[in-house]
Amino acid sequence: MPARRLTAASLLSLAALCTVATGCAQKSDSGSSNDAIKVEAGDSSCQVSRTEFPAGPVDLAIRNSGSRVTEVYVYAPGDRIITERENIGPGTKATITAQIKAGSYEVACKPGMKGDGIRQKITVTGKGAPAKNDPRLDSAVASYRTYAQEQADATIPVVQQFADAVKAGDMAKAKSLFAPSRVGWERTEPVAESFGDIDPKTDTREDGLEPGQKWTGWHKLEKSLWADGKVTDDDKKLADELVADLTDWQKRIGKADITATSMANGAKELLDEVATGKVTGEEDRYSHTDLSDFQANVDGAEQAYTLLKPVASEKDAQLTATLDREFAALQTLLAKYRKGDGYVSYDKVTQAERKSFSDAVNALAEPLSKLAAAVTR
């Protein structure tokens, strides 16, 4: 589930966390280039310093001048996500490095991390200098697309089994398949989110619904299975819809706009997912299978990083050494909570243990936010 759909409680928790941890964009973030596009994100405004600039590598230097946690997106037509940065605390800064092609786009600032956001139209021209083509990055992108496709292909049969169990009223089997059915999605969620329309139908929590939006997808079925203790006829229809929506996702992978910078930014987004949903226990609040999603998010982020590492290590060996160390530390921590084929129920994880998870995620998220710049500069 995208971190942008948060409860009021988690937003307050996140704002507090931003003052003491490194998981959110920090005031000291000054990694942008001198010609960066400045984005001033306020509570009721979104000011962009330039609305026309050349195609190619682009730095967006964001400052949250508002009083609420915010996020900034670059949308292509149809609200297809080109790049994003979430969890930007009040008074803090963040830099997004992205490879943007010529075309018309919108920059959206979302105070409170909800809704369509305050938008500014921008035009990216074809006048920029041609980007240097590093064949290693081309190979990384091709390999990552293959990985994303493999994850989607492996997801569909498990989701079908989950849906069949729901429709048969087999509560125990449906519960056992809920977490496994989500693994491939959670590993590659930034690719799925980039399409704009699939995620809201499959992975929205009840508190994240927009006005008039029907609740569908995994979490509606999760509530029926664990909280309500029964499967309705409507749930059975929703199970078939989930299979159809995820099959749509599977078919679109080959057309997804994937670049080296979107891979790097996507890895950071997966850590944001962990910080704002899994560590808090809000994502899978009925089933308490959060650690399965947590592991999948970390695995997906590490896969993207591993593919980009040959280029990143050449340009910033210190950064990759840090990332190697922090990924290993987080994976070691997660391994302690393995139980059979799954993980300890998250409601059994103490607040002190959750703080350890949060610290480990924050220690990884900060250097991971620098990966995009390392592979494109």
Side-chain angles (χ1 to χ4, degrees), residues 78 150 253 294:
E150 289 172 347
I253 298 294
F294 190 148

Side-chain angles (χ1 to χ4, degrees), residues 4-56:
R4 62 181 175 271
R5 292 195 291 276
L6 300 172
T7 64
S10 66
L11 281 170
L12 289 173
S13 174
L14 180 60
L17 188 65
C18 285
T19 64
V20 296
T22 58
C24 301
Q26 297 296 296
K27 292 181 180 180
S28 60
D29 185 352
S30 58
S32 60
S33 61
N34 291 332
D35 61 348
I37 311 303
K38 295 180 176 59
V39 180
E40 189 83 8
D43 287 340
S44 59
S45 62
C46 186
Q47 300 177 5
V48 181
S49 62
R50 283 187 283 156
T51 57
E52 183 173 313
F53 47 86

Side-chain angles (χ1 to χ4, degrees), residues 288-310:
H288 305 299
T289 56
D290 304 85
L291 286 176
S292 176
D293 285 2
F294 190 148
Q295 181 71 72
N297 286 158
V298 174
D299 288 345
E302 188 166 22
Q303 177 67 19
Y305 162 62
T306 299
L307 291 171
L308 296 171
K309 182 180 173 181

Side-chain angles (χ1 to χ4, degrees), residues 283-327:
E283 178 77 355
D284 300 316
R285 62 187 65 177
Y286 308 110
S287 63
H288 305 299
T289 56
D290 304 85
L291 286 176
S292 176
D293 285 2
F294 190 148
Q295 181 71 72
N297 286 158
V298 174
D299 288 345
E302 188 166 22
Q303 177 67 19
Y305 162 62
T306 299
L307 291 171
L308 296 171
K309 182 180 173 181
V311 174
S313 61
E314 196 173 89
K315 297 183 178 182
D316 193 337
Q318 184 176 353
L319 175 63
T320 54
T322 299
L323 288 171
D324 285 344
R325 182 180 68 248
E326 299 303 339
F327 266 117

Side-chain angles (χ1 to χ4, degrees), residues 94-117:
T95 299
I96 309 176
T97 299
Q99 190 83 20
I100 305 182
K101 300 176 182 178
S104 297
Y105 301 89
E106 289 183 323
V107 174
C109 303
K110 298 187 180 182
M113 297 174 63
K114 297 194 77 172
D116 291 335

Side-chain angles (χ1 to χ4, degrees), residues 104-264:
S104 297
Y105 301 89
E106 289 183 323
V107 174
C109 303
K110 298 187 180 182
M113 297 174 63
K114 297 194 77 172
D116 291 335
I118 305 158
R119 302 197 178 198
Q120 296 289 339
K121 294 184 183 298
I122 59 172
T123 300
V124 180
T125 69
K127 301 175 184 177
K132 294 181 180 179
N133 187 41
D134 189 326
R136 294 174 299 174
L137 293 181
D138 291 340
S139 177
V141 168
S143 295
Y144 185 75
R145 188 184 300 278
T146 298
Y147 171 75
Q149 188 67 64
E150 289 172 347
Q151 294 302 311
D153 292 346
T155 294
I156 301 305
V158 187
V159 170
Q160 185 65 66
Q161 293 172 36
F162 171 67
D164 289 344
V166 170
K167 291 187 293 180
D170 190 337
M171 305 280 286
K173 186 174 183 180
K175 286 182 177 181
S176 72
L177 289 166
F178 175 76
S181 75
R182 293 173 53 76
V183 171
W185 172 274
E186 292 289 341
R187 284 175 176 165
T188 60
E189 192 165 0
V191 176
E193 289 179 10
S194 72
F195 301 126
D197 60 336
I198 297 176
D199 181 86
K201 293 186 287 187
T202 59
D203 202 24
T204 300
R205 300 194 312 242
E206 187 172 17
D207 51 276
L209 294 171
E210 300 291 344
Q213 180 184 353
K214 180 184 177 182
W215 193 17
T216 59
W218 270 300
H219 295 300
K220 171 61 177 73
L221 296 172
E222 178 197 7
K223 184 180 181 184
S224 295
L225 291 168
W226 274 273
D228 300 338
K230 62 181 181 180
V231 172
T232 66
D233 288 342
D234 187 52
D235 289 328
K236 294 176 182 180
K237 294 177 183 177
L238 293 182
D240 281 334
E241 287 181 26
L242 179 63
V243 174
D245 290 334
L246 291 171
T247 301
D248 184 20
W249 157 62
Q250 176 197 27
K251 292 177 179 177
R252 291 200 215 177
I253 298 294
K255 298 179 181 179
D257 189 2
I258 301 173
T259 64
T261 54
S262 75
M263 288 169 58

